[in-house]
Amino acid sequence: MGSEDRQLHIFFLPFMAHGHMIPTMDMANLFVSRGIKATIVTTPLNVPFVAKSIQKTESLGLKIDIKVINFPAVEVGLPEGYETADAMTSSKAQGMDMAVLLKKFFTATALLQGPVEKLMQEGRPDCLIADMFFPWATDSATKFGIPRLVFHGTGFFALCTAECIRLYEPQKTASSDSESFVVPNLPGDITFTRKQMLGHQNGDDDDDIVKLINTVKESELTSYGVIVNSVYELEQTYADHYRKVLGRRAWPIGPLSLCNRDMEDKVQRGKEVAISEHECMKWLDSKKPNSVIYLCFGSIANFKASQLKELALGLEASGQSFIWVVRKDQSINQKEEEDWLPEGFENRMEGKGLIIRGWAPQVLILDHYAIGGFVTHCGWNSTLEGITAAKPMVTWPLSADQFYNEKLVTEVLKIGVPVGVKQWVRLYGDFIEREAIEKSVTRVMLGSEAEAMRSRVKEYGEMVRKAVEEGGSSDSNLKALIQELKDRRAV
C-alpha cells in the first residue's frame, strides 16, 4: 500500500489541565470523524478522563488509541498523584506554595520528551499536535521528519496581544502599575495596565517560568503551524494580523465544542457532573426565557470564602434567578463546607437559585433558553462556549489569558460588561464588592444595553455555528489542513 493510500495518523499530546484536555479531546474526535487515525498520549491518572471523552466516538465504530506514559511526579518532588495543573490549586495543595508546585510540574512535563519519542518511534505518526506547554515537541517531531502543530487553547485576539506585548514591551513606558498604555501594532487601540499583564510580562514570575514562556514562543516559531480553536469571521481582523503581519501559519477550526451535538455528548464533556441532566433541565425548564444568570469560573480559579459570600449577597441583591457552579474545593481556606454562604442564603434562594457543587454540564446549560447571561472568568473555552450559545457575559478575569479575552468580549465584540477586576493574579483575584456584582449582573440581564448585547451575541452565535457546517470556514480550514498533511506525506 502506498503512503498516499495509508490512513493519516496523528498523535495528540494534551497538556494535563482540564481547560487544555477538553478541547484537545474534542479536536481528536473531530479529526477521527474525518477519517484520520488518532492516538492520544496521556498519563495514568488522566486515562479515565480521556477514555470518557472519546466514548461516543468509539461507539460509532471510530477507533482512537490511548498510549500511556508515566508522569514523574515523585521524581521532581511533587506529591504522588499530582498529574494535572488543576491539582496545584485544589484543596489537596493546602499549605504548599503554588508557584513552587507549578515549577515542579513543568519540570516533570519536560521529562516526558523521552517517553513520547519512544512512542513515536513505535507508532510512526504522520503529524504531532502538541499543546504549547510542550515546547520540546517541535524538536521531537523534527527528529521523525514530521510536522508539529501547536495548540494554544486560546483565540487570535489573545495570541496577537500577547505577541505584540512580547515584541514591543509597552508596559515599560507606563509610569505606574495602574496607568493605561496602548498595545503597539495591534489593531483597535487596545489598552492595558501593568496590573493586568501576565505574570511573566510584569516581572511577577521567576526566571524559570520566563524561560519556559520564551521557549514556548521559540518552538512555535519553528513549528509547522498553529491550530486555533476559533472562527475566522469572529476574529477576522486578528486572524489576518496573526497570519499576515506576525507571520504565523494558522488554521482556525473551532468552535471545537460543537463536535458535541446531542444532549448526551454535552453532558459527557469534561469531568463527572455533580448534577443529573434531568434535574438540571427540569429546573431550567421551569424558568422563563433569558431569566437565569449562569455563573462558573472554570476548573482552576479559586476564591476566598469572603469573596464567595460577597458574590452570594450580590446575586441576591440583583433579584435574578441563577445557577452558580462552585468547585468543591473552590476556597482553599474553607474550614467548613458551607462557611462561604451567608446565613440562610439557600433557604431564601430556594426555587430561585441552584448551586452546583462540583462539575456542571456547562455547554448543556448555556444552550438552554432560560439562560440570559453568563458570569465567566473568561477562560477561552468558556468564552467561546458563551458566544456559541449566544449569551451576553459578565467578565471576571483572574489569570492566564483571561484579561485579553475580557477585552475581546467587552470592547471588540461588545457582548459583555466587566465586573471590575483590575489585577492579574495566579491564585486569588481582586475582591469585588457585592454592589459591583449586583450592578454588572443587572446590566447584562435587564439594563438598557442588555437587548443590544443579546442581539449582537445572537448574530455571533449563528456565525460560529455556521462555520463548522459543510462549506463553512472552520470546516473548510480543517479539510485544507488534512489535505495538506496528506500531500506533505506523499512527497
Side-chain angles (χ1 to χ4, degrees):
M1 182 185 292
S3 64
E4 66 275 6
D5 300 319
R6 183 170 54 84
Q7 192 179 23
L8 192 74
H9 183 195
I10 298 177
F11 263 34
F12 291 86
L13 184 59
F15 183 65
M16 291 76 71
H18 282 90
H20 291 245
M21 288 193 290
I22 289 172
T24 305
M25 294 303 99
D26 287 342
M27 181 169 30
N29 285 323
L30 183 62
F31 271 88
V32 168
S33 73
R34 302 304 178 95
I36 306 305
K37 180 181 178 183
T39 297
I40 297 164
V41 181
T42 192
T43 63
L45 291 186
N46 289 303
V47 169
F49 173 82
V50 170
K52 176 172 170 280
S53 300
I54 63 177
Q55 189 174 348
K56 178 63 181 292
T57 300
E58 293 204 319
S59 72
L60 298 173
L62 302 171
K63 177 68 174 170
I64 297 181
D65 290 328
I66 302 174
K67 297 294 184 183
V68 183
I69 52 176
N70 181 56
F71 187 77
V74 176
E75 291 90 323
V76 300
L78 283 172
E80 190 170 350
Y82 275 52
E83 289 188 19
T84 67
D86 308 37
M88 310 304 150
T89 64
S90 75
S91 58
K92 292 193 303 179
Q94 278 189 25
M96 303 182 196
D97 186 300
M98 193 176 77
V100 173
L101 289 174
L102 281 172
K103 189 174 175 179
K104 291 179 177 180
F105 187 78
F106 282 116
T107 299
T109 63
L111 297 177
L112 298 178
Q113 182 173 4
V116 169
E117 289 182 2
K118 186 172 184 294
L119 289 178
M120 291 172 69
Q121 178 72 43
E122 296 166 358
R124 290 293 176 180
D126 301 301
C127 176
L128 174 62
I129 297 179
D131 193 279
M132 61 177 282
F133 284 124
F134 300 113
W136 46 262
T138 299
D139 287 340
S140 296
T142 301
K143 288 180 184 178
F144 293 93
I146 63 173
R148 182 264 174 118
L149 289 163
V150 182
F151 182 62
H152 282 281
T154 194
F156 283 110
F157 178 83
L159 289 170
C160 289
T161 303
E163 182 63 355
C164 289
I165 289 173
R166 184 184 78 89
L167 290 171
Y168 304 109
E169 299 183 318
Q171 67 272 31
K172 292 184 176 179
T173 66
S175 59
S176 70
D177 287 347
S178 56
E179 182 189 9
S180 295
F181 56 84
V182 175
V183 180
N185 198 32
L186 182 70
D189 291 329
I190 305 299
T191 62
F192 285 93
T193 66
R194 280 206 295 254
K195 283 185 177 181
Q196 297 171 316
M197 294 291 90
L198 299 173
H200 67 276
Q201 292 172 334
N202 63 18
D204 286 351
D205 284 324
D206 63 27
D207 290 343
D208 286 334
I209 296 295
V210 173
K211 184 178 178 182
L212 170 66
I213 297 300
N214 288 336
T215 306
V216 164
K217 189 51 59 180
E218 289 165 9
S219 75
E220 177 193 319
L221 290 170
T222 55
S223 72
Y224 192 74
V226 180
I227 289 181
V228 184
N229 182 18
S230 189
V231 173
Y232 175 73
E233 294 89 345
L234 182 68
E235 302 186 90
Q236 182 172 344
T237 298
Y238 300 97
D240 288 343
H241 191 78
Y242 190 66
R243 295 194 286 196
K244 296 176 182 178
V245 179
L246 297 176
R248 306 295 196 274
R249 302 191 76 219
W251 292 266
I253 62 169
L256 293 169
S257 62
L258 284 180
C259 75
N260 304 283
R261 298 287 183 174
D262 57 31
M263 182 177 289
E264 183 185 354
D265 293 340
K266 294 170 185 176
V267 172
Q268 290 292 327
R269 191 169 183 262
K271 300 181 188 179
E272 200 65 42
V273 294
I275 187 171
S276 75
E277 68 269 27
H278 173 74
E279 181 185 352
C280 191
M281 291 300 102
K282 182 180 177 182
W283 191 91
L284 282 168
D285 288 344
S286 70
K287 305 300 179 186
K288 294 178 181 178
N290 298 322
S291 66
V292 179
I293 186 86
Y294 172 67
L295 304 88
C296 184
F297 298 92
S299 57
I300 290 182
N302 275 295
F303 291 109
K304 292 182 179 178
S306 57
Q307 178 66 87
L308 293 173
K309 187 173 289 188
E310 196 76 2
L311 177 48
L313 292 169
L315 271 179
E316 184 174 4
S318 77
Q320 300 302 302
S321 295
F322 63 86
I323 292 182
W324 181 11
V325 182
V326 183
R327 282 172 53 192
K328 288 181 180 178
D329 56 359
Q330 187 92 63
S331 173
I332 288 179
N333 292 340
Q334 203 173 304
K335 294 184 179 66
E336 302 289 340
E337 185 182 351
E338 305 303 334
D339 268 359
W340 50 274
L341 281 176
E343 188 174 351
F345 178 78
E346 287 195 275
N347 288 334
R348 295 194 301 275
M349 294 297 103
E350 188 172 353
K352 195 174 186 68
L354 178 64
I355 298 176
I356 301 176
R357 294 164 173 83
W359 193 264
Q362 179 160 294
V363 172
L364 185 69
I365 292 170
L366 284 172
D367 278 346
H368 198 280
Y369 64 81
I371 299 297
F374 180 17
V375 180
T376 174
H377 66 307
C378 300
W380 183 243
N381 293 330
S382 290
T383 301
L384 198 54
E385 286 162 14
I387 293 169
T388 303
K391 308 302 180 186
M393 292 171 245
V394 173
T395 57
W396 193 320
L398 298 161
S399 61
D401 60 348
Q402 294 158 20
F403 281 91
Y404 299 158
N405 297 333
E406 177 184 52
K407 290 283 184 179
L408 177 70
V409 167
T410 60
E411 296 183 16
V412 178
L413 302 178
K414 295 181 170 55
I415 54 173
V417 299
V419 78
V421 181
K422 305 294 184 188
Q423 175 94 31
W424 189 101
V425 290
R426 179 160 282 112
L427 188 52
Y428 298 119
D430 275 353
F431 186 81
I432 302 298
E433 303 280 351
R434 69 191 72 172
E435 293 81 8
I437 297 164
E438 176 191 358
K439 181 180 178 182
S440 58
V441 167
T442 302
R443 282 179 68 189
V444 157
M445 298 294 285
L446 301 173
S448 58
E449 312 143 276
E451 267 322 300
M453 284 190 290
R454 194 160 282 126
S455 177
R456 277 193 292 272
V457 76
K458 184 180 178 182
E459 290 180 11
Y460 289 129
E462 291 170 354
M463 174 194 296
V464 300
R465 286 177 178 274
K466 286 179 181 176
V468 301
E469 294 174 0
E470 182 73 29
S473 62
S474 293
D475 172 69
S476 298
N477 286 326
L478 179 61
K479 288 175 179 173
L481 174 58
I482 290 171
Q483 189 58 52
E484 185 170 330
L485 293 174
K486 287 180 177 179
D487 292 344
R488 185 188 179 282
R489 182 185 64 183
V491 172

